[in-house]
Amino acid sequence: MSIKQSLLEIKNSLPETVTLVAVSKTKPVSDLEEAYAAGQRIFGENKIQEMTQKWEVLPKDIQWHMIGHVQTNKVKYMAEYVSLIHGVDSLKLLKEINKQAKKHNRVINCLLQMHIAEESTKFGLDLEELNSLVSSDVFKTLENIKVVGLMGMATFTDNQNQVKKEFGTLKEVFSSLQSTKSTNLDVKILSMGMSGDYKIAIDQGSTMVRIGSSIFGSRNYI
């Protein structure tokens, strides 16, 4: 099946309330061009250098999402153009994003990453850390970022009940956080669900899914 066919099949299966991020990491520009020609405008990358190289040569109406773990010293390379940063897991990182966004006279949208999986290798905040971050005086001074939602990754397991429970937990946190408002906090996006579990994520309330292999195939080119 072609990239166009795979993309349209997935898009047609998604509710109107769910946004598709086409995970294009390790894929060549030609694959992204095919997806772009089929109407896709949101792409997700996990390495800033690779994302920047693609941003430089592809159409400028593409929204670039950084979905990987972000090192503070790399933020400056994407601050000019990144549309949404999914994996923000510390106040230190938010402060750096704010600093670099200010240099470009931008407000950069961010998602706070929650740790919901059993694997200890996953990044993310726990509930106490989340509440402490958004209620801190320092957070409220950051004028060049906006936290627009939460992101989380479930445990990589065949146990669908466990995955459902983890996504359900994140949805509860998301719903409770929506009542908290400030100038740089407006919680609307719940980014959870990838190629293997996005259907469960949608059932649990996801508004944004990150799908790669089901669109581009499993081969890596870079």
Side-chain angles (χ1 to χ4, degrees):
M1 190 181 295
S2 69
I3 291 173
K4 178 180 180 179
Q5 289 172 316
S6 299
L7 178 64
L8 294 179
E9 187 174 286
I10 291 170
K11 276 191 168 184
N12 289 335
S13 73
L14 297 178
E16 290 184 2
T17 54
V18 176
T19 299
L20 171 64
V21 179
V23 178
S24 51
K25 61 181 183 179
T26 76
K27 307 305 178 187
V29 167
S30 58
D31 279 11
L32 278 70
E33 287 174 333
E34 187 174 340
Y36 181 91
Q40 183 64 21
R41 293 295 182 271
I42 303 175
F43 293 92
E45 295 282 334
N46 71 339
K47 292 183 178 178
I48 294 174
Q49 182 179 0
E50 182 183 334
M51 183 171 70
T52 300
Q53 290 171 347
K54 291 173 178 176
W55 167 73
E56 288 173 346
V57 300
L58 285 163
K60 292 300 179 276
D61 61 337
I62 289 175
Q63 296 179 38
W64 293 100
H65 288 203
M66 172 46 57
I67 61 173
H69 184 66
V70 178
Q71 296 175 297
T72 53
N73 64 342
K74 299 289 181 66
V75 172
K76 58 188 175 184
Y77 298 113
M78 64 175 173
E80 180 182 353
Y81 67 89
V82 69
S83 177
L84 182 64
I85 302 175
H86 285 233
V88 179
D89 60 356
S90 70
L91 184 58
K92 177 184 177 183
L93 179 55
L94 271 181
K95 287 166 65 178
E96 181 63 21
I97 296 169
N98 184 78
K99 174 184 172 183
Q100 299 301 332
K102 191 171 185 178
K103 291 180 180 179
H104 294 280
N105 196 29
R106 299 186 65 210
V107 173
I108 295 178
N109 289 335
C110 301
L111 303 178
L112 296 178
Q113 181 172 353
M114 297 292 294
H115 184 278
I116 59 172
E118 286 192 354
E119 295 111 327
S120 59
T121 55
K122 292 284 196 300
F123 295 98
L125 303 160
D126 61 28
L127 184 57
E128 184 178 345
E129 290 168 333
L130 172 71
N131 290 332
S132 176
L133 190 157
V134 298
S135 62
S136 70
D137 291 336
V138 173
F139 174 74
K140 293 170 185 175
T141 67
L142 303 179
E143 298 179 344
N144 290 84
I145 60 97
K146 177 168 278 191
V147 171
V148 294
L150 299 177
M151 183 273 266
M153 292 182 284
T155 301
F156 185 71
T157 175
D158 291 330
N159 186 340
Q160 294 194 354
N161 287 330
Q162 181 179 346
V163 174
K164 181 179 178 180
K165 180 181 178 181
E166 290 170 356
F167 283 148
T169 297
L170 186 57
K171 176 60 164 66
E172 290 177 5
V173 176
F174 173 79
S175 297
S176 64
L177 191 61
Q178 283 186 303
S179 61
T180 304
K181 298 289 184 183
S182 70
T183 54
N184 60 358
L185 179 67
D186 187 12
V187 177
K188 296 178 180 178
I189 297 172
L190 180 55
S191 175
M192 60 184 192
M194 299 183 288
S195 289
D197 57 20
Y198 74 91
K199 293 180 181 178
I200 300 174
I202 291 171
D203 287 341
Q204 295 303 307
S206 175
T207 68
M208 181 173 282
V209 293
R210 309 177 301 275
I211 300 176
S213 58
S214 297
I215 296 172
F216 297 105
S218 57
R219 290 182 300 156
N220 292 335
Y221 299 83
I222 294 176

